[in-house]
Amino acid sequence: MISSKRKLDAVNKNNDILNSGVDLFVNEPPDEEDVSDQDEDSSSSDDDNVNDDGDSDSSQYSGLEEEVASSSLDDSSDEEEQGSDSDDDDDDGEDLMLSDSVDNIAIGTNAKEPAVVDEYEQDSSDEEDIRNTVGNIPMEWYKNYKHIGYDIEGRKLIKPEHGDNLDDFLNKADDPNYWRTVHNRLTGQNIVLSEEDVQLVQNLLGKTHPTQSTEEQYAPWVDWFSSEVMIHPLSNRPEHKRSFIPSKWEKLKVGQMVHALKMGWMKPSKTQEEQEKEEEEQDDKFYMIWNEDEETEISKRYRQHIPAPKTSLPGHAESYNPPPEYLFTKEEEQKWRDQEPEQRRMNFMPQKFSNLRTVPGYSNFIRERFERCLDLYLCPRQRKTRMNVDPEDLIPRLPKPKDLQPFPTTQSLVYLGHTDMVRCISVDPSGQWLVSGSDDCSVRVWEVSTGRCMKTLTVKEKVKGIAWNPNPAVCLLAIVWEKTVVLLNPGVGDKLQLSNTDNMLASQTQAESSADSKVAVSWSVCEGSEHDQGYRLKLTHAHDVSQFTWHSKGDYFATVMPDGQTRSVLIHQLSRRRSQNPFSKSKGSVQCVRFHPLRPFLFVATQRYVRVYNLLKQELSKKLQANCKWVSSMAVHAEGDNVILGSYDSKMSWFDLDLSTKPYQTMKHHKKAIRQVCYHKKYPLFASASDDCSLIVCHGRVYNDMLQNPLIVPVKVLRGHKAEKGVGILDCVFHPSQPWIFSAGADTTIRLYT
Amino acid sequence: MGRATKKGQSGAATAFVHRTKAIKKLQISLKDFRRLCILKGIYPVEPRHRKKAGHGNQAPRTYYMMKDIQFLLHEPLIDKFREFKHFMKRLTRAYGRKNLSAVSRIRKNRPKYKLDHIVKERYPTFIDAVRDLDDCLSMIFLFAIFPSTKITDTRFVQLCRRLSVEFLHYVIASKSLRKVFISIKGIYYQADLFGQQVNWIVPHSTGFAHPTDVDYRVMKTFVEFYTTLLGFVNYKCYHSINLHYPPQLLLDSSEEKVQEDPKVGKRSRKRKNAQLEKIQKEREKRFVERDTVEERLSALTQTLQKTNTGEPEEDIQIDEFPASETDDPELVELAKQERDKLSKFQNLFKGLKFFLNREVPRETLVFIIRSFGGEVSWHESQAVGYSYPETDEKITHQIVDRPSMEKQYLSRYYVQPQWVFDSVNAQMLLPPADYFIGVTLPPHLSPFVTEQEGDYVPPEKQALLNRQRGIDEDSESEEVDDDEEEDGEGHQSDDSSEEEDEEGEEESDDDEAPATKKQKTGSKGANKQKDVANTSAMSVEEGRVEVDDPGRRQTRQEAEERRLAEMMIPKKKRRLYNKIMHSKKKTSQEARILKEKREAIDMQKKKDKKQKLT
C-alpha cells in the first residue's frame, strides 16, 4: 500500500511521465499492453515481462472478485476502462489522481458502497486482500463458524448462503454458468466469470498473450521527447520562478570574468587565422643576433666556460670499404664480442661493403647521438692541461756509463764443480784465490785467473758462511756450518805466508775462560787428521750460526745466531781466543752484522732497522730506518761513511751516515728479492744480487765536498745465472783490487764478470 | 692585519654546489632542472678537491658551479616552466572533469617560450657559435629524417629539415666543404666555416631502428635549442655572403606572391563565406607552393638569390690580400700558393656535368658535387629540381651504383659514387678507371686521419700521398713493372718462385732480432754436436768467426744505456713515464699487427694470382 502510494506520488510529481503514457503503475489491461509493448521495444529482459504478467493476473483477479461483490461494478468498471482508454492522457492522469485521493475511503467502504469508485483499479498484486483480514490461513478453521473472518474494522464477515452438495449437483445440471463459476475461499462466494475473463483465462492456458486484439498490442509509439523543438510545451505546468530571476552565481562568475578582462588576464580567444599567422611568424623568427659593430662583453663566467670536447673523427676502420687489414679476424671478432661494450676500443665492428648501395643503416646511430647528449649535460667537466711531455725529459741526466769505467761488463769465467747451490763465496785479500761454500757440504778453493779448483774440502753440513781473513799477512779462512765456526788454513798460495799463519795461531794462547761461561762458545784447537786437512781452530756455539764477518784488521770477528736471543751477536777475538757478548738485550731478530772498517763501530741490522753501536763507549750511536720490510743484507763502504742495505722486497737503500738516519736514495732496480749487496774496496762501485738472476753494478761516488750530492748511476746489468727453485744469485763479491765481480748462483755455478 | 678567515667560507667550499642543493635553491623539479641545464648549457664540473667542495663529504655527487646556479636564478625560462606546470594542471583537471570545451580552450593558451636570448648568452660571438656547431648539425640532420611521433611532431621535423637544407645551401654557396667520408655509421662532412672546422654526420638514408631505451625527450630538448641556434647561424651566414635569408631561388620571382584584397567581403555573410573560401584556397595554394619551393630548395640544384648583385667578389679578395702584415716575400708567395690551391680545390668539379642514377644517394652527391662547382641532374621522375635529361650529350660523368648498365653513352664516364668522395678527399680528380661500373673498388680511406710518426700507414694512403706530391707516375710504373716481373717469374718456372720465397724468408730473418739468428745457429751447432757425440766422445768444434757489426753493437749499447737510465727515473715521474711508454708501445703494437695482417693478405693474394695463372 505504502509503496503504491509512493509510486503514485512520483507519478503526480512528474506530469510529463504520466502524459507519456508510461503507466507502469496503473494496472489497466490496455495500459499493460502498452507496457509490454514498451518492454518489447526496449528489449528488456524476460524476467521483467514475466513479472508484469503476474501483476496483471492478480489485478485481473482482484477485479473479478469485485464483480462478485457488486454486480453493477463490472459494467461500470469496464465502461470506465474503455473511457479512460479513449480519453486524453491528461484526463487519465486526473482520473488517477482522483482515484488516489479516494483510495483510503474506498477500502473502508468496500462492503457497503461498492459502486462508488472502482478503487481496485490501482490495486497491485503484492497487497493482501483486505476484505478479509484473517490472512493466509487454512480456511477449514472457520468451517464450524457462521463467519469466515473479519473485515478491516473488526466486524465479522458472515458466510454467504451456500447450498449443499445436492444444490451443487443440481446447479451443475441447471445453471448454464456453472462451468464458469469459481469459488472464492477467502470470502466464501461464488463468482461467475465474464466472457472476457474466460477468454483471458483460455489465452493464458494456451500460453498466448492475455489480450489477443492485435491493434492494441501494436499501437503506434508516440515519441514525445524527440530532438525536434515543439512550439507547445508538453505540459501546462507554469515555468518555475527561478527561471525569471537573474542568477546570483552567474552574476558573480560574470563579474570575475569582467574583472579578468579588465586586468588583461583573460584574452579573447584567437581565431584560427590568427593562430596560423602566429605560427607562420614563429617560423620566420630569426634575425641578426650577432652584429659586427656590437662589442661583446667577455664576462668572467664566459672565460670560465669549459667547452665540451669534440667527438673524435673516424679512422680508416670505420670506412664502409676499409683496407683489408682493418677488418677483424675471427679471433679479434670473438674478443670484441666477449668484451663489455665499455671496454671495447671501438664501439663498432669494421665491415666491408662492395658498393655504397648495400650499406645498411647503422643501428646504433640514435643511441650514440643520445649518449653524446647525455655526456653534454650530465658529464662533469674539468679543465685539464694536457702535458705534452717528451719521455726523454723524464729520464734524469746522468753521466754515461762509458765515462764511468772501469766496471765489470762481460762474463769471462764460470767456475763449475759444485753439485748444489753455492751459498757463499769469498776472495782472498791478494785476489788470487776464491773460496766457495755450497749446499753439497763442500768447500772449494779456486784459482781466480784460471778457474781451476785447487782444493775441495767436505764438511759435515751445508756451508752457511765463508770468509777470508782480510789481513794480507795471514792466510786464514773461516767456514760456518750449523753451530760450528772453523778457522782453517787452506794451504794455497805463498808457503811463507802459510807458515806465518800457523806460527801465529800457535803462538796465541787461550785466555782465561772465566768470562766465557756466559757466552757459551768453546774454542778448541784441532789436531790430528783435522789438522792435516788444514783445520786450526774450532768454535762451537750454542745455536746455529747464520753469518760470519771479519773486522778489517783481521783480529776480531763476529758471528750471528738468530736463535740466540740475547746472545744472538757474538764478537770474537782471534789473538786472545776470547768471545764476548756485547748486548744484554735482543732488539729483534738480527739479520746481519758488519764492522766499521776504520772506527770501533758495529752495524747490526734487524728486520727494519740498522743500529750502529759504538763498541768503545758501549752505546747506541745511531739507528737507521731502512724503509723496507725485511732487510736481507748490508754492506759498508771502505771509508765507512756509506752503507747500503738490500731487502727482500727488492729495494736497495743507500745511507749516508753523515746526513741522516733515512736513506739518501732508495732504488728499486730489481724485480725480485735482493740476496746480497757489496761494495768494492777501491773503485766507487757497488753491486746487488737478486733472485731475478741479475746482478746490477752501480757507480756510487761520494764527493768530499759536502754540497755536492753523491752520484749514483747504474752502469751495468749482468746476467748469466739461471733461477732454481725461485732462487737466483745468492752471493756476490768484488775482487779486492780489480774491477771484477764474482757471483754465486743457485744453479751451482760461480761466475766472474770482468 | 685582517680578520682570520674561517673554514668553509671561501674557495672551493663556496664555489661549488651539489645538485640537490641547486635544485632546492632554484625551487624547480629535477626534470625542469635538467631541461634548463640542457637549454642553458650548464654542465656539472669536477671540483679539484672533492672534500673541500663537499664540506668534508667525499660522496660521489655531481657538483655545479655556484655562479652557474646563481645565473640560472634569473632565467625567465623558469617562469615559463612554472606557467607550463600550471597549464598542465588546468588541462588535467579539465580532462578529469570531462570538460572538453574547457580542454580545447586551455589548449589554445598553451604557454610558449623563446630561446633567442639563450643563444646570445651562450655564444656572445658568432665564432663561438660556429665552433660549437658540430653536435648541433648532427642532431638536426638526424631529426630531419625522424618520423613524426608524439614527441617529434611534423612541424618540428619540418623545421629541422628546413634548417638543414638551408645550411647545406650556405655550404654550397660559400664553397666551404672540405672533406667527406662514407663510414658505416653515416656520412661525415667537414666544412671550413669562418676559419673553424665544423664536422657533422648524416645517417645513411636507409632506415634504421629506433631504440626504445632512449629518452627522446632529452634529445628533443637539445634539438629545440639547436634549431634556434642553427636558425640564427644560418641567418648570419646568409647575410655574410649577401644572400636572402629565407632563401630564395634564383629562378623564382615576385610573381608567386599572392595579393590579397582586404576590403572585399566584409559586407554580407555570403560574401564573407566566399572570402573565407577564397582565403582557404589561397592558403592551400600557398601551402602547395611553399611545399614546392621547399622541395626545390631541398633539391639543392638551384643557386640562391643575392641581395645585391653586380659586385664581383673575387677582385675584392685579391685586393685585400697584399695588405697583410707579413712582408717576407717567401711567406707571401707561400700564402699565395696555398690560396691558389684552395681555389683550385673549390672548383674541383667545375665544368663537369654529372648525372645521378636512381640508386645513388641523391642529396649527398648533389651537395658534394655542387659544393665543388659541378652541375648535376637526375631523372625527372625521381624528384623535383632536375635540370637536364640523361640524353644530354654534354654529361661527362654518370654516377652509377649497379653492376651493369644496358645502354651506355660513349661520351661519358660511368663511375661509382666513391669516385666523388675519393676525388674530394684527394683534392684532385682521380683516374676514373678504378671506379668504373662493376669494378671492385679500391679501399675508401678516412680523410680525417693524419698519420703521426710510428703510426701505420696503409699502402693505399701512401700511394695517394705520393700522387698528391706529384711523384705518382714513377711509383705507378714501378708497381706495374713489379707486377710484370712477378707475372713473368710465375710463368717461367716454379723454381723461381721458390727462390723468391727463400729470399723473403731471409729478409724476414734480417728483420728479426739478431738474437734469434744466434739461437738458430746455436741450435744448428747443437745438432752437429749431437751428431759428433754419437760418433765419438770428444771432439773439437769448428770455430766460427763472430761477425762484429758496429752498428748493431752501437744500437744495443744505446738500448742498454737507456734501460739503465730508465732505472734512475724518480718515483714521482715514473708513473707518467710508464704511461707514455705504455701508450707508445700499444700504438706501435697495433701498427705492427696491421702491417703483419696486410702483408699476409698481400701474400695470399699473390699466391692466388699465381695459382690462377698456372
Side-chain angles (χ1 to χ4, degrees):
Chain A
M1 185 64 206
I2 295 161
S3 64
S4 79
K5 243 183 136 181
R6 198 181 292 147
K7 282 169 190 169
L8 281 171
D9 280 349
V11 169
N12 283 338
K13 263 185 199 166
N14 203 338
N15 257 334
D16 296 349
I17 292 171
L18 254 182
N19 293 337
S20 73
V22 186
D23 294 343
L24 280 166
F25 316 109
V26 186
N27 285 320
E28 287 169 346
D31 285 345
E32 236 162 31
E33 281 162 22
D34 276 359
V35 171
S36 65
D37 273 1
Q38 267 188 347
D39 282 344
E40 278 164 28
D41 286 346
S42 60
S43 71
S44 68
S45 66
D46 289 344
D47 291 340
D48 286 352
N49 264 334
V50 170
N51 273 341
D52 281 349
D53 285 353
D55 284 358
S56 61
D57 286 350
S58 61
S59 70
Q60 287 296 333
Y61 289 128
S62 62
L64 293 180
E65 285 155 17
E66 250 164 330
E67 277 172 57
V68 178
S70 56
S71 57
S72 62
L73 182 71
D74 265 344
D75 299 332
S76 66
S77 71
D78 276 355
E79 274 171 15
E80 265 201 9
E81 275 170 14
Q82 278 156 12
S84 71
D85 260 349
S86 59
D87 270 356
D88 266 354
D89 288 73
D90 286 327
D91 289 355
D92 195 12
E94 279 176 357
D95 209 342
L96 279 168
M97 283 168 76
L98 250 179
S99 69
D100 185 42
S101 59
V102 296
D103 198 8
N104 286 335
I105 310 158
I107 294 159
T109 57
N110 170 15
K112 286 179 181 175
E113 307 162 330
V116 180
V117 157
D118 184 16
E119 68 264 43
Y120 296 109
E121 245 179 1
Q122 291 97 30
D123 198 8
S124 68
S125 63
D126 49 3
E127 289 167 19
E128 57 179 332
D129 194 347
I130 36 126
R131 279 165 297 182
N132 192 352
T133 57
V134 290
N136 189 15
I137 54 161
M139 294 314 280
E140 294 94 63
W141 292 354
Y142 285 98
K143 209 163 62 182
N144 301 330
Y145 298 97
K146 270 191 173 176
H147 64 281
I148 199 169
Y150 304 91
D151 67 3
I152 200 161
E153 311 223 310
R155 288 171 300 213
K156 283 179 181 170
L157 285 174
I158 305 298
K159 276 184 191 164
E161 284 291 315
H162 215 289
D164 52 4
N165 284 344
L166 192 62
D167 285 336
D168 199 28
F169 181 71
L170 288 176
N171 275 347
K172 203 182 202 174
D174 299 342
D175 197 354
N177 286 340
Y178 178 77
W179 62 275
R180 56 171 164 187
T181 309
V182 280
H183 178 70
N184 187 349
R185 282 194 301 162
L186 207 61
T187 53
Q189 285 169 329
N190 286 331
I191 303 158
V192 178
L193 297 178
S194 66
E195 284 291 327
E196 285 174 354
D197 292 337
V198 170
Q199 184 63 44
L200 202 139
V201 169
Q202 277 174 350
N203 284 349
L204 283 173
L205 287 172
K207 296 191 176 171
T208 54
H209 198 271
T211 57
Q212 280 190 324
S213 49
T214 48
E215 73 274 10
E216 279 173 5
Q217 273 185 48
Y218 303 108
W221 168 254
V222 183
D223 190 6
W224 298 106
F225 298 98
S226 65
S227 58
E228 285 168 33
V229 181
M230 304 291 195
I231 51 168
H232 294 298
L234 280 170
S235 72
N236 268 338
R237 167 175 289 195
E239 289 285 321
H240 200 274
K241 187 186 174 189
R242 257 201 313 267
S243 61
F244 299 108
I245 300 168
S247 163
K248 188 183 170 190
W249 308 113
E250 274 179 15
K251 189 187 160 194
L252 276 173
K253 202 79 200 166
V254 169
Q256 279 178 354
M257 286 181 181
V258 167
H259 184 61
L261 279 171
K262 227 189 248 174
M263 302 303 285
W265 301 332
M266 207 161 94
K267 281 170 196 114
S269 59
K270 290 162 202 156
T271 58
Q272 212 182 347
E273 277 177 71
E274 281 172 330
Q275 269 193 333
E276 276 178 15
K277 214 184 245 174
E278 235 173 55
E279 280 169 5
E280 272 178 41
E281 273 171 17
Q282 258 205 338
D283 283 354
D284 306 323
K285 61 193 168 181
F286 304 117
Y287 50 91
M288 185 65 89
I289 205 167
W290 295 285
N291 284 321
E292 268 142 26
D293 49 339
E294 218 172 81
E295 211 165 280
T296 51
E297 45 170 327
I298 305 294
S299 61
K300 196 180 167 194
R301 205 180 146 267
Y302 173 75
R303 252 181 264 127
Q304 272 187 345
H305 172 66
I306 308 168
K310 294 200 168 190
T311 44
S312 58
L313 288 166
H316 298 311
E318 212 181 305
S319 169
Y320 87 104
N321 181 15
E325 62 267 30
Y326 286 96
L327 296 173
F328 280 166
T329 56
K330 265 183 190 163
E331 300 91 63
E332 281 173 329
E333 190 182 331
Q334 191 54 45
K335 197 184 156 199
W336 188 86
R337 282 187 199 285
D338 290 345
Q339 273 175 332
E340 291 291 314
E342 298 86 47
Q343 290 175 334
R344 290 172 186 162
R345 265 177 83 82
M346 281 188 284
N347 57 2
F348 60 92
M349 197 150 56
Q351 280 172 293
K352 192 174 182 107
F353 298 97
S354 56
N355 44 28
L356 187 55
R357 187 178 74 235
T358 48
V359 180
Y362 182 57
S363 57
N364 269 347
F365 193 89
I366 292 180
R367 197 188 308 277
E368 274 178 23
R369 295 301 343 149
F370 176 64
E371 273 161 18
R372 172 72 180 165
C373 285
L374 291 188
D375 282 350
L376 282 178
Y377 88 99
L378 287 180
C379 187
R381 298 186 195 171
Q382 192 174 34
R383 200 185 289 278
K384 277 198 173 160
T385 46
R386 181 176 290 278
M387 282 190 296
N388 198 2
V389 182
D390 184 10
E392 300 300 323
D393 296 344
L394 295 175
I395 298 172
R397 295 258 159 268
L398 291 172
K400 286 202 169 178
K402 215 192 275 175
D403 308 335
L404 299 174
Q405 276 170 344
F407 53 82
T409 51
T410 49
Q411 177 186 314
S412 51
L413 271 179
V414 181
Y415 304 88
L416 295 167
H418 281 293
T419 53
D420 206 343
M421 55 169 72
V422 185
R423 212 168 262 286
C424 45
I425 48 173
S426 181
V427 189
D428 111 79
S430 65
Q432 206 177 350
W433 310 105
L434 171 73
V435 67
S436 63
S438 163
D439 274 8
D440 60 0
C441 306
S442 70
V443 173
R444 280 168 190 262
V445 183
W446 313 83
E447 193 179 17
V448 166
S449 52
T450 58
R452 271 175 67 195
C453 179
M454 300 297 290
K455 208 169 189 182
T456 308
L457 290 167
T458 42
V459 295
K460 283 165 198 154
E461 281 296 323
K462 292 176 181 175
V463 181
K464 285 280 173 60
I466 202 158
W468 216 295
N469 193 330
N471 188 358
V474 295
C475 182
L476 196 63
L477 192 64
I479 305 170
V480 178
W481 70 84
E482 266 197 340
K483 295 173 184 174
T484 322
V485 175
V486 165
L487 297 178
L488 160 143
N489 190 344
V492 287
D494 195 1
K495 278 191 180 150
L496 187 68
Q497 199 184 15
L498 293 178
S499 59
N500 268 350
T501 309
D502 280 343
N503 291 338
M504 185 197 79
L505 284 177
S507 65
Q508 288 162 355
T509 51
Q510 191 159 6
E512 305 82 50
S513 59
S514 59
D516 295 354
S517 59
K518 261 191 200 167
V519 179
V521 174
S522 61
W523 292 69
S524 58
V525 180
C526 299
E527 286 163 351
S529 64
E530 283 186 339
H531 189 271
D532 294 344
Q533 275 186 328
Y535 291 17
R536 297 292 177 262
L537 280 171
K538 196 186 246 177
L539 285 81
T540 313
H541 289 67
H543 300 281
D544 281 358
V545 178
S546 68
Q547 200 225 337
F548 178 97
T549 183
W550 284 102
H551 185 256
S552 59
K553 294 272 169 52
D555 192 23
Y556 286 92
F557 60 91
T559 52
V560 177
M561 291 183 289
D563 302 334
Q565 306 281 344
T566 55
R567 293 179 295 182
S568 55
V569 180
L570 295 178
I571 296 174
H572 313 271
Q573 193 178 7
L574 181 65
S575 53
R576 298 172 69 185
R577 299 201 183 159
R578 196 179 69 166
S579 302
Q580 58 181 4
N581 179 13
F583 307 118
S584 56
K585 252 190 207 168
S586 93
K587 302 271 174 140
S589 73
V590 177
Q591 300 295 315
C592 189
V593 291
R594 294 277 181 228
F595 284 103
H596 192 284
L598 303 175
R599 289 193 281 168
F601 284 121
L602 182 68
F603 297 85
V604 180
T606 53
Q607 272 186 23
R608 293 185 175 220
Y609 300 99
V610 177
R611 292 183 174 78
V612 186
Y613 295 99
N614 189 336
L615 292 174
L616 271 185
K617 291 182 185 169
Q618 301 212 333
E619 62 177 17
L620 177 71
S621 75
K622 236 171 214 173
K623 190 178 164 191
L624 308 178
Q625 287 181 353
N627 275 3
C628 60
K629 299 268 163 58
W630 198 310
V631 172
S632 67
S633 53
M634 175 169 56
V636 185
H637 191 253
E639 300 288 317
D641 289 337
N642 298 297
V643 175
I644 46 173
L645 282 182
S647 72
Y648 287 115
D649 48 352
S650 67
K651 277 182 196 162
M652 182 163 64
S653 315
W654 168 288
F655 288 91
D656 197 324
L657 292 180
D658 296 338
L659 291 177
S660 162
T661 57
K662 281 175 186 148
Y664 167 72
Q665 196 160 10
T666 305
M667 292 154 282
K668 200 174 173 183
H669 297 163
H670 288 284
K671 301 218 164 49
K672 284 183 183 169
I674 292 176
R675 290 274 174 182
Q676 185 62 276
V677 289
C678 59
Y679 268 114
H680 200 285
K681 283 214 170 72
K682 287 186 179 154
Y683 293 103
L685 291 174
F686 63 92
S688 56
S690 158
D691 276 350
D692 61 358
C693 298
S694 68
L695 185 68
I696 295 180
V697 182
C698 298
H699 179 93
R701 170 162 290 180
V702 187
Y703 298 95
N704 287 333
D705 182 10
M706 290 299 274
L707 290 174
Q708 203 159 5
N709 287 329
L711 176 76
I712 297 170
V713 185
V715 287
K716 189 71 190 173
V717 181
L718 298 167
R719 289 173 206 281
H721 284 285
K722 276 172 201 144
E724 223 154 86
K725 297 175 208 158
V727 186
I729 304 175
L730 281 164
D731 200 1
C732 66
V733 63
F734 275 106
H735 191 274
S737 53
Q738 296 294 328
W740 298 348
I741 189 165
F742 301 91
S743 66
D747 56 348
T748 72
T749 59
I750 304 160
R751 285 160 202 261
L752 167 66
Y753 301 92
T754 53
Chain B
M1 204 176 122
R3 265 191 185 172
T5 48
K6 276 187 187 170
K7 201 181 171 187
Q9 288 190 338
S10 63
T14 50
F16 297 100
V17 59
H18 61 86
R19 199 188 64 188
T20 324
K21 210 170 167 190
I23 288 173
K24 216 171 239 176
K25 188 169 176 88
L26 293 171
Q27 297 186 6
I28 51 175
S29 66
L30 177 61
K31 209 175 113 197
D32 279 347
F33 177 70
R34 285 191 166 153
R35 267 156 58 82
L36 204 62
C37 283
I38 292 171
L39 293 174
K40 294 279 283 179
I42 305 287
Y43 44 85
V45 282
E46 186 66 38
R48 195 151 287 168
H49 304 289
R50 260 182 178 280
K51 201 173 173 186
K52 278 182 192 165
H55 296 275
N57 189 349
Q58 280 176 304
R61 296 192 285 196
T62 40
Y63 287 96
Y64 289 86
M65 295 291 285
M66 191 61 198
K67 286 270 183 212
D68 285 349
I69 301 302
Q70 279 169 344
F71 175 69
L72 281 184
L73 270 177
H74 309 293
E75 181 52 48
L77 269 184
I78 290 184
D79 295 339
K80 284 286 176 191
F81 284 166
R82 280 193 194 117
E83 243 173 66
F84 196 81
K85 201 171 98 186
H86 181 220
F87 160 76
M88 281 311 291
K89 218 179 193 175
R90 287 176 69 198
L91 196 66
T92 44
R93 192 164 56 183
Y95 261 120
R97 291 179 174 174
K98 292 179 182 143
N99 193 352
L100 294 181
S101 65
V103 166
S104 66
R105 179 169 49 76
I106 293 167
R107 272 263 164 92
K108 271 180 195 164
N109 292 328
R110 186 193 180 88
K112 286 174 188 133
Y113 53 85
K114 283 187 151 192
L115 303 173
D116 302 5
H117 62 286
I118 295 182
V119 173
K120 182 74 178 169
E121 261 169 22
R122 280 179 69 170
Y123 307 109
T125 61
F126 178 56
I127 290 297
D128 292 328
V130 174
R131 207 175 288 149
D132 219 12
L133 218 52
D134 286 16
D135 294 309
C136 165
L137 285 171
S138 296
M139 286 296 277
I140 283 181
F141 274 94
L142 171 64
F143 266 63
I145 56 161
F146 253 40
S148 64
T149 58
K150 198 177 158 194
I151 293 160
T152 55
D153 57 341
T154 327
R155 210 180 180 75
F156 191 66
V157 172
Q158 274 174 355
L159 178 66
C160 289
R161 172 80 187 142
R162 209 194 79 193
L163 288 170
S164 61
V165 167
E166 281 169 7
F167 180 75
L168 291 185
H169 264 292
Y170 168 72
V171 173
I172 291 173
S174 63
K175 293 190 171 176
S176 44
L177 189 66
R178 292 289 175 271
K179 285 169 185 174
V180 284
F181 176 55
I182 316 170
S183 100
I184 52 172
K185 293 183 182 176
I187 297 171
Y188 285 88
Y189 299 95
Q190 187 178 72
D192 184 25
L193 300 183
F194 302 92
Q196 301 293 328
Q197 288 192 333
V198 178
N199 304 295
W200 73 96
I201 179 174
V202 180
H204 289 298
S205 47
T206 40
F208 46 84
H210 285 254
T212 48
D213 55 343
V214 160
D215 192 353
Y216 288 99
R217 278 196 195 95
V218 170
M219 292 176 87
K220 199 208 162 179
T221 315
F222 268 100
V223 176
E224 228 169 74
F225 173 73
Y226 285 152
T227 50
T228 321
L229 171 65
L230 189 61
F232 285 114
V233 169
N234 277 348
Y235 193 93
K236 172 89 181 175
C237 286
Y238 272 63
H239 280 259
S240 70
I241 54 168
N242 293 332
L243 291 173
H244 283 292
Y245 170 57
Q248 288 171 8
L249 296 173
L250 200 58
L251 301 180
D252 291 344
S253 50
S254 55
E255 80 213 4
E256 285 189 14
K257 283 183 182 170
V258 184
Q259 287 206 336
E260 282 184 43
D261 202 349
K263 281 178 186 173
V264 183
K266 281 191 178 174
R267 301 283 155 77
S268 71
R269 215 187 227 183
K270 269 190 181 178
R271 288 187 89 182
K272 200 175 180 181
N273 274 346
Q275 173 74 3
L276 270 176
E277 269 179 30
K278 198 182 161 192
I279 287 172
Q280 194 71 33
K281 271 186 184 171
E282 273 173 2
R283 197 179 293 141
E284 277 172 14
K285 197 178 153 197
R286 211 165 50 196
F287 270 129
V288 170
E289 273 170 6
R290 209 166 66 175
D291 281 1
T292 55
V293 167
E294 267 178 18
E295 270 182 37
R296 277 154 73 183
L297 257 183
S298 59
L300 299 171
T301 41
Q302 283 160 358
T303 43
L304 302 179
Q305 257 187 8
K306 298 220 168 196
T307 43
N308 50 345
T309 50
E311 282 182 47
E313 281 173 39
E314 290 172 19
D315 293 344
I316 294 173
Q317 280 180 356
I318 287 166
D319 286 346
E320 263 177 39
F321 182 69
S324 59
E325 287 170 21
T326 53
D327 293 330
D328 191 1
E330 273 184 27
L331 275 179
V332 170
E333 188 60 31
L334 207 71
K336 202 176 176 184
Q337 272 179 11
E338 198 74 10
R339 211 168 56 78
D340 287 346
K341 203 175 146 192
L342 182 63
S343 72
K344 202 179 158 194
F345 174 46
Q346 279 174 338
N347 296 317
L348 185 69
F349 294 142
K350 193 148 199 174
L352 300 184
K353 261 187 150 180
F354 290 86
F355 188 84
L356 306 183
N357 251 26
R358 202 183 310 117
E359 67 274 7
V360 300
R362 184 172 52 82
E363 194 180 299
T364 311
L365 283 168
V366 171
F367 171 57
I368 295 167
I369 291 166
R370 290 254 301 128
S371 299
F372 293 97
E375 277 181 274
V376 66
S377 178
W378 52 84
H379 196 261
E380 67 177 300
S381 65
Q382 200 185 349
V384 185
Y386 73 101
S387 40
Y388 45 85
E390 194 179 352
T391 52
D392 194 340
E393 289 292 323
K394 285 176 185 167
I395 292 172
T396 55
H397 292 79
Q398 181 154 352
I399 296 174
V400 183
D401 196 6
R402 55 174 78 174
S404 64
M405 285 275 282
E406 279 183 8
K407 194 185 167 192
Q408 292 194 4
Y409 291 83
L410 281 173
S411 59
R412 62 183 79 157
Y413 292 119
Y414 286 83
V415 291
Q416 300 197 34
Q418 197 188 316
W419 179 79
V420 178
F421 290 84
D422 282 352
S423 293
V424 167
N425 292 337
Q427 306 203 350
M428 60 197 287
L429 291 177
L430 294 173
D434 298 342
Y435 300 90
F436 276 158
I437 184 165
V439 160
T440 310
L441 290 167
H444 181 56
L445 297 172
S446 166
F448 302 110
V449 181
T450 46
E451 274 89 1
Q452 310 280 313
E453 202 181 311
D455 287 354
Y456 173 71
V457 185
E460 290 87 4
K461 175 98 179 183
Q462 198 54 52
L464 182 73
L465 288 175
N466 290 342
R467 184 174 278 169
Q468 277 172 338
R469 278 183 214 129
I471 49 171
D472 48 340
E473 286 176 20
D474 299 1
S475 64
E476 256 183 54
S477 62
E478 269 177 33
E479 272 177 22
V480 169
D481 286 352
D482 285 355
D483 283 350
E484 278 173 6
E485 274 174 18
E486 281 161 20
D487 290 352
E489 279 171 16
H491 279 299
Q492 275 167 15
S493 64
D494 290 348
D495 295 358
S496 63
S497 68
E498 277 177 14
E499 275 174 18
E500 203 181 277
D501 286 352
E502 278 176 10
E503 276 174 19
E505 271 179 30
E506 276 174 17
E507 277 171 13
S508 65
D509 277 2
D510 284 350
D511 288 349
E512 280 168 15
T516 55
K517 197 170 181 178
K518 265 191 181 172
Q519 261 187 0
K520 239 184 179 176
T521 50
S523 66
K524 266 185 192 171
N527 287 339
K528 270 184 192 170
Q529 225 176 8
K530 263 187 189 174
D531 293 345
V532 171
N534 284 341
T535 52
S536 63
M538 281 184 77
S539 72
V540 176
E541 243 181 89
E542 201 178 319
R544 285 197 310 273
V545 178
E546 208 168 278
V547 183
D548 188 36
D549 186 357
R552 191 170 292 162
R553 204 178 49 192
Q554 178 78 16
T555 53
R556 210 191 297 169
Q557 199 176 354
E558 271 172 15
E560 197 189 339
E561 274 175 19
R562 192 187 165 81
R563 227 176 302 131
L564 288 170
E566 272 173 20
M567 281 181 187
M568 289 308 285
I569 297 173
K571 203 171 154 191
K572 244 187 216 171
K573 292 174 184 170
R574 180 164 292 170
R575 178 163 292 178
L576 178 63
Y577 181 81
N578 284 346
K579 247 184 190 172
I580 294 171
M581 293 319 279
H582 179 74
S583 66
K584 266 193 174 175
K585 207 173 163 188
K586 211 163 191 185
T587 50
S588 69
Q589 200 178 359
E590 270 172 9
R592 207 193 68 232
I593 287 171
L594 286 174
K595 200 178 166 189
E596 279 169 6
K597 258 167 119 180
R598 178 67 184 221
E599 272 167 6
I601 288 164
D602 285 348
M603 286 282 263
Q604 189 63 38
K605 265 186 191 168
K606 260 187 198 170
K607 264 187 193 170
D608 289 349
K609 221 178 180 180
K610 268 173 196 167
Q611 270 187 352
K612 264 186 191 175
L613 284 169
T614 53

